């Protein structure tokens, strides 16, 4: 592992990104506060080494960041949207410049493969590019009035402060999904990243500062507060934060949603997934195998869109199962910065314990583990965070199958009869994020995509559940939260809608023909 660390050059990367071994955990973009909260040591799951540490933010620090954000909003909202878009365009250019060191840091701090780390930074670049064009298209509608000499239209205005609570598995992309859109809409942002990946958050703040300083962006447009659930609670309950965008577990989302709803604020919740691929008799195995295997083991099963369930027609079940078991036996598990490996580590030992607990529960409910499983140890696995991806024959009604486990566990089960039976199984879970069907039958694909088909926010045909392009709105239904981020018209959540009526006559006719004489 020492050789890999030398090749990675983590010290050089930290210097490039302006990160110290000890860091403060609150910033207004132009100023770092001398925070004195609990020290958070960021430990890489790759090798168990401490990357750097952060003094977390306190309530006093949070208050200072919010006050500066309020002040910045008063100016930032007046900037023309295309001018705000130009700043975001320059941020995309700066991210291109820092793609390699930031991508490596994402991989090392979170544990995903180097290609996925670089891909996450590319997502940031892509959403910035999308937002630049959008900055000239924040359009409303014009309507015909029933009253003569009147004009009606609607327009959108910025909300104010957008609070962002992000998860460890996409430590930078999800932040930028929110900020790129919120900034061009005229909002300011305050970010509480996962305390499991705080160093990448500091890096993003340092990169953003370079661009914002060069353009005279008001201090406070990009705020950062690193801390635990206490900071998230402050944000969720804060009436000065009209929108809270939270990514994480369903349990966390319910707590945030309740707190924001209590004060009649707006929440954008991207929560748990329990994603399934339906495999029909006509499915092409050449597509099934990479789609199912990458969906299940990519990012070590720590994506909200990871494939958790395979629902396979009984006529092809044995063929599919045997091919997958063979594919699993060929997986290479190890340092994610080595591109020869397919699977890296889980984020920490708590995640490892959850993996083991889920497998034990699956067996206790009558499931059968059909691949090698367990925690890896020895040379190269010193962090204790490496596990073998497992495939389990199970039934959809098992309690553990109904629950999302953030680990590389794939439950495989049968269906018989028509595709409607498979869809019924797929939909019979509390979550509703991503779904897929593998079929060469046009009728089956159309049924899957119909109103009577998949109940998920994402429904794919002949691709897997994992991964999404920024051009489409991202999000799900049911316990996934119902929010939408990224593309399409997701920008509207970051703005308030206003209907305007203008009377350009010399009289005042009332709506619905009402007469009021004085």
């Amino acid at each position: 592992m020492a050789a890999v660390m030398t090749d990675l050059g983590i010290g050089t990367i930290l210097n490039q990104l302006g990160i110290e071994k000890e860091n403060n955990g609150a910033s207004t973009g132009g100023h770092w506060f001398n925070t004195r909260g609990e020290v958070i040591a960021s430990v890489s799951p790759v090798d168990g080494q401490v990357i750097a540490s952060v003094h977390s933010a306190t309530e006093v620090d949070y208050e200072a960041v919010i006050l500066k954000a309020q002040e910045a909003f008063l100016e930032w909202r007046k900037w023309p949207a295309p001018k705000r878009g130009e700043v975001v365009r320059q941020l995309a250019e700066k991210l291109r410049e820092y793609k390699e060191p930031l991508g490596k840091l994402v991989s090392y701090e979170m544990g995903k493969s180097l290609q996925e780390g670089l891909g996450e930074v590319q997502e940031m670049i892509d959403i910035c590019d999308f937002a630049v064009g959008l900055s000239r298209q924040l359009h409303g509608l014009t309507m015909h009035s029933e009253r003569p000499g009147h004009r009606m239209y609607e327009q959108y205005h910025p909300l104010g402060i957008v609070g962002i609570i992000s998860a460890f598995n996409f430590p930078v992309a999800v932040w930028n999904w929110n900020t790129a859109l919120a900034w061009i809409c005229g909002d300011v942002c305050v970010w509480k990243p996962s305390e499991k990946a705080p160093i990448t958050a500091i890096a993003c703040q340092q990169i953003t500062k370079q661009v914002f300083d060069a353009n005279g962006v008001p201090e406070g447009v990009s705020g950062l507060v690193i801390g635990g659930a206490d900071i998230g609670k402050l944000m969720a309950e804060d009436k000065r934060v009209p929108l809270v965008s939270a990514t994480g577990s369903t349990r966390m989302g319910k707590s945030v949603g309740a707190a924001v709803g209590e004060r009649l604020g707006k929440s954008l919740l991207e929560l748990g997934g329990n994603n399934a691929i339906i495999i029909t008799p006509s499915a092409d195995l050449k597509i099934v195998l990479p789609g199912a295997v990458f969906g299940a083991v990519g990012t070590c099963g720590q994506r909200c869109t990871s494939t958790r369930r395979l629902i396979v027609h009984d006529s092809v079940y044995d063929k599919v199962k045997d091919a997958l078991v063979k594919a699993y036996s060929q997986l290479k598990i190890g340092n994610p910065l080595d591109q020869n490996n397919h699977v890296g580590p889980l984020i920490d030992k708590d995640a490892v314990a959850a993996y083991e607990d889920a497998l034990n529960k699956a067996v206790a409910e009558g499931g059968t583990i059909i691949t090698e499983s367990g925690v890896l140890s020895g040379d190269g696995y010193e962090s204790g965070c490496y596990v073998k991806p497992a495939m389990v024959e199970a039934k959809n009604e098992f309690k553990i199958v109904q629950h999302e486990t953030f680990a590389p566990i794939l439950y495989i089960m049968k269906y018989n009869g028509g595709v409607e039976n498979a869809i019924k199984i797929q939909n019979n879970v509390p979550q509703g994020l991503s779904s897929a069907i593998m079929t060469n039958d046009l009728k089956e694909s159309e049924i899957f995509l119909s109103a009577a088909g998949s109940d998920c926010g994402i429904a794919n045909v002949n691709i897997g559940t994992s991964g999404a392009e920024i051009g489409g709105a991202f999000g799900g239904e049911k316990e996934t939260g119902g929010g939408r981020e990224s593309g399409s018209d997701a920008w509207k959540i970051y703005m308030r809608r206003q209907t305007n009526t203008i009377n350009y006559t010399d009289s005042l006719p009332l709506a619905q023909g009402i007469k009021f004489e004085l």
Side-chain angles (χ1 to χ4, degrees):
M1 298 301 284
V4 174
M5 276 292 296
T6 301
D7 294 341
L8 177 64
I10 189 64
T12 301
I13 288 172
L14 295 180
N15 288 336
Q16 283 180 286
L17 296 170
I19 297 167
E20 306 291 338
K21 293 303 290 183
E22 293 187 14
N23 300 272
N24 293 313
S27 171
T28 57
H31 171 71
W32 285 93
F33 293 90
N34 189 24
T35 50
R36 283 295 173 262
E38 178 185 353
V39 175
I40 300 172
S42 178
V43 178
S44 171
V46 174
D47 55 13
Q49 299 298 308
V50 174
I51 303 170
S53 63
V54 182
H55 290 272
S56 59
T58 64
E59 184 172 351
V60 172
D61 301 318
Y62 170 83
E63 182 67 18
V65 172
I66 290 292
L67 289 175
K68 182 56 72 171
Q70 284 186 299
E71 179 184 322
F73 175 63
L74 299 179
E75 180 182 347
W76 181 242
R77 66 184 177 181
K78 296 177 183 177
W79 285 39
K83 185 177 179 182
R84 298 191 295 253
E86 169 59 18
V87 174
V88 173
R89 186 196 67 79
Q90 291 179 35
L91 178 59
E93 291 304 305
K94 189 63 68 174
L95 287 168
R96 288 181 172 93
E97 181 183 331
Y98 282 101
K99 179 177 177 178
E100 183 175 353
L102 182 58
K104 285 182 177 179
L105 182 60
V106 167
S107 298
Y108 188 58
E109 183 171 41
M110 186 267 149
K112 61 176 60 176
S113 73
L114 179 57
Q115 285 305 307
E116 288 183 86
L118 295 171
E120 185 169 344
V121 181
Q122 186 62 48
E123 279 192 53
M124 301 172 76
I125 295 166
D126 292 343
I127 193 63
C128 285
D129 288 349
F130 178 87
V132 173
L134 191 62
S135 68
R136 295 180 181 269
Q137 301 179 65
L138 302 175
H139 49 74
L141 296 172
T142 299
M143 293 81 76
H144 289 280
S145 173
E146 67 184 42
R147 291 169 284 186
H150 285 60
R151 181 164 72 90
M152 289 180 62
Y153 67 97
E154 66 179 24
Q155 60 181 330
Y156 288 84
H157 295 301
L159 281 173
I161 300 174
V162 174
I164 302 167
I165 300 173
S166 63
F168 72 86
N169 58 332
F170 280 85
V172 295
V174 171
W175 166 74
N176 209 196
W177 278 12
N178 284 276
T179 55
L181 297 190
W183 285 333
I184 63 102
C185 288
D187 297 317
V188 299
C189 298
V190 176
W191 181 22
K192 192 209 89 66
S194 169
E195 58 269 41
K196 295 182 180 182
I199 307 305
T200 47
I202 294 172
C204 288
Q205 192 77 343
Q206 299 285 48
I207 293 170
T208 302
K209 183 181 185 302
Q210 294 181 43
V211 176
F212 281 20
D213 285 354
N215 286 273
V217 173
E219 182 183 341
V221 171
S222 179
L224 176 69
V225 277
I226 296 174
D230 56 330
I231 296 295
K233 186 173 186 292
L234 287 172
M235 184 177 287
E237 294 176 352
D238 194 338
K239 292 181 179 180
R240 298 167 297 180
V241 183
L243 171 64
V244 176
S245 175
T247 304
S249 68
T250 296
R251 176 192 57 77
M252 179 277 292
K254 287 180 177 180
S255 174
V256 170
V260 176
E262 176 70 21
R263 59 179 175 84
L264 298 182
K266 297 169 69 175
S267 57
L268 196 172
L269 302 175
E270 298 289 359
L271 311 176
N274 197 343
N275 316 297
I277 298 177
I278 295 170
I279 301 174
T280 70
S282 67
D284 185 341
L285 205 61
K286 295 193 301 295
I287 294 177
V288 168
L289 283 177
V293 175
F294 176 75
V297 309
T299 323
C300 202
Q302 296 171 113
R303 292 182 174 216
C304 52
T305 54
S306 291
T307 306
R308 309 292 178 197
R309 297 173 294 145
L310 286 186
I311 304 166
V312 187
H313 194 271
D314 57 6
S315 65
V316 293
Y317 181 84
D318 288 338
K319 181 180 179 182
V320 170
K321 182 182 76 170
D322 291 346
L324 285 168
V325 169
K326 182 178 179 181
Y328 266 56
S329 70
Q330 297 170 358
L331 290 174
K332 295 179 181 178
I333 307 164
N335 191 304
L337 297 156
D338 181 346
Q339 296 185 47
N340 292 315
N341 291 325
H342 301 106
V343 185
L346 288 168
I347 186 65
D348 56 26
K349 291 182 180 178
D350 287 342
V352 173
Y355 159 89
E356 293 179 301
D357 182 61
L359 289 177
N360 290 334
K361 287 178 177 176
V363 171
E365 290 190 71
T368 303
I369 302 173
I370 57 175
T371 58
E372 290 187 23
S373 63
V375 183
L376 293 166
S377 60
D379 186 34
Y381 305 120
E382 291 88 351
S383 69
C385 296
Y386 292 86
V387 301
K388 296 179 181 178
M391 188 160 61
V392 182
E393 288 190 294
K395 294 182 179 179
N396 199 63
E397 58 265 29
F398 287 179
K399 288 183 179 179
I400 190 60
V401 175
Q402 294 283 310
H403 173 76
E404 180 191 40
T405 302
F406 235 46
I409 299 174
L410 179 64
Y411 301 108
I412 182 171
M413 58 199 72
K414 296 179 182 179
Y415 81 94
N416 51 39
V419 73
E420 295 87 351
N421 294 333
I423 293 170
K424 184 177 180 181
I425 294 170
Q426 179 210 274
N427 291 348
N428 191 23
V429 292
Q431 309 84 359
L433 179 52
S434 186
S435 57
I437 187 170
M438 300 291 186
T439 181
N440 283 325
D441 186 320
L442 177 63
K443 200 172 175 183
E444 288 181 331
S445 67
E446 289 297 326
I447 291 171
F448 179 73
L449 299 175
S450 73
S454 170
D455 65 0
C456 296
I458 299 169
N460 299 325
V461 177
N462 290 331
I463 61 172
T465 64
S466 186
E469 296 183 35
I470 59 92
F474 180 88
E477 302 299 326
K478 302 189 293 188
E479 287 193 359
T480 300
R484 293 296 185 274
E485 291 175 322
S486 191
S488 184
D489 65 349
W491 62 271
K492 291 181 179 179
I493 190 69
Y494 302 96
M495 305 195 83
R496 58 181 177 88
R497 178 156 44 182
Q498 183 182 80
T499 301
N500 307 113
T501 306
I502 299 170
N503 174 10
Y504 55 89
T505 73
D506 296 327
S507 60
L508 183 61
L510 301 177
Q512 293 86 46
I514 295 172
K515 301 295 184 183
F516 183 75
E517 304 290 345
L518 288 177

